[in-house]
């Protein structure tokens, strides 16, 4: 069995969709941010504050290395995992890469009041800066096997769409 690997910008719903997808398929669920928080014994904002983004990215790659050895799992990735080609090469080995595509408006609605995302909290003008970051990352999110729009859709509908698309190649 292959893994289903969820990518997408912050606020695209990777964790919510990932959990539901794992329940529907009876696949174990892993969330890279949660693993980092558990292993490092600190929250993501704390990690960024104490050790910095560079160290966070190194840690992410270590987690990806571990998870790339699994099969038949649903893996929700932190929004920046796609930036590192090694991460994507590893995850693609035994994974179907599923991009959850949210519009800037949806992202803004979901993340602007959220204190759990250090990259957003540090922004002085969230709308303009999210747009800039999103545009810079767009090319990296292109690396996927399937892409699903998530705007105005319920988690149930999105999960059904994903299952229908991947079921024959799992
Ligand atoms: C990040 C996204 C976050 C988390 C960290 C960095 C990013 O995960 O990994 O704050 O660079 O986009 P979510 O996408 O789950 O919010």
């Amino acid at each position: 069995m292959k893994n289903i690997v969820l990518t997408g910008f912050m606020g695209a719903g990777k964790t919510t969709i990932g959990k539901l997808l794992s329940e529907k398929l009876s696949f174990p669920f892993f969330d890279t941010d949660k693993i980092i928080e558990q292993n490092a014994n600190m929250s993501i904002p704390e990690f960024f504050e104490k050790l910095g983004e560079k160290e966070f990215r190194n840690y992410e790659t270590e987690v990806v290395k571990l998870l790339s050895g699994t099969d038949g799992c649903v893996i929700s990735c932190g929004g920046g995992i796609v930036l590192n080609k090694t991460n994507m090469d590893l995850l693609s080995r035994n994974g179907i890469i599923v991009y959850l595509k949210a519009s800037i408006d949806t992202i803004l609605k979901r993340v602007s009041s959220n204190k759990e995302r250090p990259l957003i909290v540090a922004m002085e003008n969230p709308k303009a800066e999210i747009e800039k970051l999103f545009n810079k990352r767009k090319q990296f999110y292109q690396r996927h096997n399937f892409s699903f729009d998530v705007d105005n859709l319920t988690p149930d509908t999105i999960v059904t769409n994903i299952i229908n698309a991947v079921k024959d190649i799992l």
Side-chain angles (χ1 to χ4, degrees):
M1 277 284 186
K2 292 208 167 98
N3 290 322
I4 301 177
V5 178
L6 300 181
T7 66
F9 202 82
M10 291 172 269
K14 299 175 297 277
T15 303
T16 307
I17 301 299
K19 280 185 185 158
L20 193 59
L21 189 57
S22 81
E23 277 167 31
K24 291 251 158 88
L25 292 171
S26 300
F27 279 16
F29 174 68
F30 293 105
D31 181 309
T32 59
D33 284 340
K34 274 279 155 301
I35 296 175
I36 294 172
E37 288 183 328
Q38 281 161 3
N39 288 2
N41 202 20
M42 55 184 122
S43 68
I44 301 293
E46 251 183 295
F47 195 114
F48 269 69
E49 199 189 309
K50 291 192 178 143
L51 303 171
E53 182 172 351
K54 191 163 180 283
E55 200 48 46
F56 177 77
R57 299 301 173 197
N58 291 338
Y59 216 110
E60 258 185 343
T61 299
E62 291 310 311
V63 172
V64 165
K65 280 183 193 159
L66 277 176
L67 292 176
S68 64
T70 63
D71 53 82
C73 297
V74 174
I75 302 170
S76 287
C77 296
I81 273 193
V82 294
L83 302 173
N84 181 332
K85 185 176 177 299
T86 303
N87 291 343
M88 296 310 286
D89 288 346
L90 286 164
L91 290 165
S92 301
R93 271 194 206 159
N94 189 40
I96 301 166
I97 311 293
V98 170
Y99 171 48
L100 300 183
K101 186 169 172 239
S103 65
I104 301 268
D105 281 344
T106 297
I107 291 165
L108 250 174
K109 253 186 256 160
R110 294 188 186 165
V111 304
S112 43
S113 61
N114 190 301
K115 301 272 175 285
E116 296 305 307
R117 294 184 167 99
L119 294 179
I120 305 278
V121 170
M123 289 175 176
E124 279 179 21
N125 179 352
K127 186 169 167 47
E129 292 183 59
I130 285 174
E131 211 153 1
K132 210 165 116 192
L133 190 61
F134 182 82
N135 286 330
K136 218 162 83 184
R137 287 184 173 184
K138 239 194 225 158
Q139 53 173 315
F140 297 98
Y141 290 122
Q142 290 310 313
R143 186 161 174 192
H144 58 249
N145 301 108
F146 296 97
S147 166
F148 295 94
D149 286 314
V150 298
D151 293 337
N152 306 313
L153 295 176
T154 64
D156 266 319
T157 303
I158 298 164
V159 165
T160 303
N161 292 344
I162 297 174
I163 292 176
N164 285 338
V166 304
K167 63 178 187 296
D168 293 334
I169 54 167
L170 267 176

